Amino acid sequence: MTCTLGEVKNRADFIIYWGGNPAECHPRHFTKYTIMQKGKFVPNRKARTMVLVDIRETPSAKASDIFLQITPGKDFEVITTLRALVKGQRVNLDLVAETGLTIEQLQDLVDRMKKARFGVLFFGMGLSMTRGKHMNSAAVLALAAEMNAFTKFVAMPMRGHGNVTGADVVLRYTTGYPFGINMCRGYPRFNPGEFSTVDLLVRGDNDAALILGADPGATMPQPGIDHLARIPTIVLDPKVTHTSRLSRVHITTAATGISAPGTVYRMDEIPLPLRPPLKSPYPSDEEVIRRIHQAVAKRPGWRPTLNGKAMR
Amino acid sequence: MLRITGGKVFDPANGIDGQVKDICISDGRIVSEFDGGRTIDATGMIVFPGGVDIHTHVAGAALNFARGLTPENQRAAAPFLHSPERRAGIGGPTPTTFATGYLYAGMGYTTVMEAAVPVLSAKHTHEELRDTPIVDKACLLLMANNEIVLDLLESGEIERAKQVVGWLIWAAKTYGIKAVNPGGVAAWKWGEDAKQLFEPVHGYNTLTPANIISGLAGIVDDLGLPHPVHLHCNNLGAPGNVDTTIETMKVLEGRRAHMAHLQFHAYGGDDWHTMRSEAPRLAAYFNSQPNLTADAGAILFGDAVTITADGPWQHLLYQLTGRKWGNIDVENETGCGIVPYTYKGSNLVNAVQWAVGLELLLLIDDPWRLHLTTDHPNGACFWRYPEIIHLLMNADYRKECIKKLPPKALKRITLMDLDREYSLYEIAIITSAGPARAMGMPRKGHLGVGADADITIYNQNPDGVMMFRYPRYVIKGGTVVVEEGDILHRDEGHEFVVRPVFDPKIEDFLRPLFQQVYTMSFDNYPVEAERVHGMQVSELPGTPRQPQSNP
């Protein structure tokens, strides 16, 4: 249960950021969409309450009305306790104590959530990429869904890394899955943990890599980086990156949005056109990929043939 | 350059009922005479105009959200293998874009209408339609919960509302407007719904759903749009909602309208335990209203994914089923909800729903005004249409199916008393000629000279499922695209867009308002024409249209 960011701007009077540091990681989030915006139904900052849930006091805490510091790795327990409190069920106080919060703090949070006219929960990688991973995300989404029995409540992941949302969207409509897709059998198969990039690289399953709009050489675990350096790796990037340094081929491309046109998807999956203010001597990513594709298409196929015709 | 000889032609728009007739094609259109080129010998076969789906959900942010929500459906679905002629993909309840094109074409359908597009994400919808091969497409714009339009309707500024609607239709590059749960989705932004036609919408002082419906119907007529207002009534799916549906028809006061997925709006009873079919009452009233068209929205037993802009209903369905729930509210415009659902023959409510869809199809007299749909993927997947066709054409088979329903259900329905059987001529009307006419597409849904050469050729077979699921040939725009069940050629298809007449000065009114309530720049809001693949624009003269009269 989610919404576009304009809904948050116009309606949200109760905003939770969980496991994220928007002040530093999404610096325009406060000013464009949430607490600093004047909305159609929320006249000013005072009309909104902001809660920050994190394991340490980041600069975002200054902007918040309530800061809840929880024990690292206890997100799932806190969310599950909140879900129980929302439904008025009993909770184990010993387990609550382990989370670093008191039952009064949690009950107060639940009361405020229920009193809100329009609540929103933004969750960052501090929730979705720590202990529990997708279980945490599922729990937080379940919490938001269940809150709708009492008031309007939505949740949204705080996505970053350029146009990751756009890649997710396009893969979904062309293959049915958002990431971790294997096309080796001629149709899409999905298995995160097996076919996702990091797992393929760490296991060393792939014998070539084409890297577009990403810098795995800076973020992947070392065995994955070592594997990228071992195999023919091709990088398309406007600038020199960690990955381009270890690649066999680096094709310099125009920077999308600066000197190449395109479409970017916002974290709420709203597409925005990019109009480049500058010209570039380099080709766009799209043009390079198209030319590679044309060249590959000219090569004889791997497909078995019968009487000179491709078998169906 | 193609000639089809010897086939029995069913072309209801031109009154041709099974006569053996040659059809000649040149430059993608049907012509009176042509020499040379390939000849298809269709002796003993049945020739139909290509199918037209007036209400389906095949592209857009909501559907794409559903794909992400249900990877288990994709895993269980038929894979489409990559080949020199075909792109890879996945079938199932929410097929991928390429698979959608192949599945529609493979069933003999050549034109589809994506029935729910918000302006804010229209760019995305067009991107998906660009990757939906072979079929021609058109989009309907969600309008009955657009807060800018609702505010204007409340303050009585109908003329300005008309200019705004005209501007928005062109901005989103769409074909007409859709009204989903008028006022109800706007109320859902505060967790409310609009269940009463004549009570003010939550958050408004005087504006009622009835005002929105009549306001939009009037605007559509004034703008002269080829397709009337496409109406998803309030109270979808709720027991006893037939009263709302009939009241809605009365509110229209003779203006044109298309009633979407009528099956979901034809229930009696007070709750889920007493729910019954009110199809006879609804059909009788509908029969007396020549200004209206409708599509069936029939259900079939099996897995489905319900996707609708009707957010509050989906929240209820989530609470009823306890299954996954996705909800996206779109700022100032609309919302959408997604819940996977399984229709079970043993479930009393589902059994009634199954019967209601068929009852409406059998009780509404004029096949020109009722079109075959399942509100894909809500009632069933579009690729199961042949199963419904078989149920309509074969009363004995239908009665066999009724025997399998729970005995309690039989007291709630009248389907067992209906003996009507559809003829091939009538099937051609409900799958092609009727919807093409209701969509206002003069070159679709018929085989007369000048029509687009979209033709489906079937092997005659008493088993309707086999006959309609596997056409022998499908011709799209004069090119053979399906031959013996194999996709032969990728043709991208066109998108139909209308450009209503509006005063460009309306932008001066919209721009400041927009910057206030939206989160993107006004200049980024309209869809660029280059983004719409193969766009075919109908310029509208801006003269009011009369209600369509049907033969």
Side-chain angles (χ1 to χ4, degrees), chain A residues 90-108:
Chain A
R90 279 181 295 121
V91 294
N92 184 333
L93 294 176
D94 295 339
L95 292 179
V96 172
E98 286 175 22
T99 64
L101 298 176
T102 63
I103 187 76
E104 288 77 24
Q105 280 176 306
L106 291 172
Q107 188 60 53
D108 176 57

Side-chain angles (χ1 to χ4, degrees), chain B residues 296-349:
Chain B
I299 71 143
L300 289 168
F301 300 125
D303 283 330
V305 178
T306 65
I307 302 177
T308 166
D310 199 338
W313 164 254
Q314 293 297 76
H315 179 236
L316 179 71
L317 196 59
Y318 153 70
Q319 290 179 317
L320 283 174
T321 61
R323 291 180 70 165
K324 295 179 192 180
W325 173 44
N327 178 78
I328 318 173
D329 291 334
V330 180
E331 61 205 63
N332 310 305
E333 288 178 11
T334 180
C336 104
I338 300 148
V339 180
Y341 192 80
T342 306
Y343 294 98
K344 293 186 185 128
S346 56
N347 176 304
L348 184 63
V349 169

Side-chain angles (χ1 to χ4, degrees), chain A residues 2 6 11 152 190 303, chain B residues 75 82 147 327 329 331 524:
Chain A
T2 187
R11 294 170 200 268
K152 184 79 191 177
F190 173 61
R303 191 167 287 275
Chain B
R75 283 216 178 96
H82 180 264
E147 288 165 30
N327 178 78
D329 291 334
E331 61 205 63
N524 285 336

Side-chain angles (χ1 to χ4, degrees), chain A residues 312, chain B residues 86 481-489:
Chain A
R312 292 176 192 282
Chain B
R86 272 203 302 263
V481 288
V482 176
E483 195 163 349
E484 298 197 64
D486 228 352
I487 308 271
L488 293 184
H489 178 75

Side-chain angles (χ1 to χ4, degrees), chain A residues 1-7 9-12 32-33 37-41 117-118 142 144-154 168-178 183 185-192 262-263 265-266 268-275 302-303 309-312, chain B residues 61 64-65 67-68 71-72 74-76 79-90 95-98 120-124 127-128 131 147-148 151 186 188-191 204 315 318-319 325-333 486-488 514-521 523-524 528 531:
Chain A
M1 46 316 311
T2 187
C3 63
T4 65
L5 288 163
E7 283 295 299
K9 167 180 152 174
N10 284 331
R11 294 170 200 268
K32 283 200 80 175
Y33 308 120
Q37 270 285 346
K38 195 175 137 202
K40 194 173 172 187
F41 304 102
R117 281 206 301 168
F118 186 113
E146 286 161 6
M147 274 303 297
N148 279 275
F150 304 94
T151 185
K152 184 79 191 177
F153 218 95
V154 301
D168 179 323
V169 161
V170 173
L171 285 173
R172 272 195 339 252
Y173 72 72
T174 51
T175 71
Y177 306 115
M183 298 292 286
R185 288 193 190 160
Y187 67 93
R189 287 181 299 149
F190 173 61
N191 205 12
T263 301
Y265 280 74
R266 233 162 54 174
D268 56 355
E269 300 196 352
I270 296 299
L272 293 170
L274 296 173
R275 299 193 190 87
W302 53 270
R303 191 167 287 275
K309 224 183 137 198
M311 277 171 72
R312 292 176 192 282
Chain B
N64 214 28
F65 193 92
R67 291 185 185 114
E72 68 279 13
Q74 272 85 280
R75 283 216 178 96
F80 282 70
L81 261 66
H82 180 264
S83 80
E85 295 87 15
R86 272 203 302 263
R87 296 283 298 261
I90 300 274
T96 59
T97 49
F98 297 107
L120 198 63
S121 59
K123 291 184 196 75
H124 172 75
E127 295 284 356
E128 282 199 32
D131 278 349
E147 288 165 30
I148 293 177
D151 290 347
W188 171 243
K189 303 284 176 73
W190 296 123
Y204 289 85
H315 179 236
Y318 153 70
Q319 290 179 317
W325 173 44
N327 178 78
I328 318 173
D329 291 334
V330 180
E331 61 205 63
N332 310 305
E333 288 178 11
D486 228 352
I487 308 271
L488 293 184
F514 186 92
Q515 303 288 28
Q516 221 177 344
V517 294
Y518 278 82
T519 48
M520 69 157 76
S521 153
D523 297 315
N524 285 336
E528 316 87 317
R531 211 180 273 273

Side-chain angles (χ1 to χ4, degrees), chain A residues 123-286:
Chain A
F123 56 101
M125 292 207 287
L127 180 79
S128 59
M129 289 294 161
T130 51
R131 179 177 166 263
K133 287 202 166 185
H134 63 280
M135 304 290 282
N136 292 345
S137 308
V140 100
L141 293 171
L143 171 65
E146 286 161 6
M147 274 303 297
N148 279 275
F150 304 94
T151 185
K152 184 79 191 177
F153 218 95
V154 301
M156 197 188 297
M158 294 286 279
R159 308 194 72 173
H161 289 295
N163 196 12
V164 61
T165 309
D168 179 323
V169 161
V170 173
L171 285 173
R172 272 195 339 252
Y173 72 72
T174 51
T175 71
Y177 306 115
F179 64 93
I181 301 155
N182 184 330
M183 298 292 286
C184 288
R185 288 193 190 160
Y187 67 93
R189 287 181 299 149
F190 173 61
N191 205 12
E194 186 182 6
F195 302 146
S196 22
T197 314
V198 60
D199 303 287
L200 284 174
L201 289 177
V202 169
R203 281 199 313 271
D205 275 0
N206 56 323
D207 50 17
L210 174 65
I211 313 262
L212 191 63
D215 190 8
T219 52
M220 289 275 160
Q222 195 57 44
I225 296 173
D226 294 344
H227 185 65
L228 275 179
R230 207 158 37 228
I231 59 176
T233 295
I234 306 157
V235 171
L236 271 57
D237 210 296
K239 54 197 183 307
V240 174
T241 63
H242 290 91
T243 319
S244 76
R245 285 207 187 89
L246 55 81
S247 66
R248 302 272 173 91
V249 180
H250 175 196
I251 302 173
T252 307
T253 52
T256 305
I258 297 172
S259 47
T263 301
V264 67
Y265 280 74
R266 233 162 54 174
M267 63 166 72
D268 56 355
E269 300 196 352
I270 296 299
L272 293 170
L274 296 173
R275 299 193 190 87
L278 302 175
K279 283 203 166 85
S280 169
Y282 300 110
S284 66
D285 291 330
E286 187 191 358

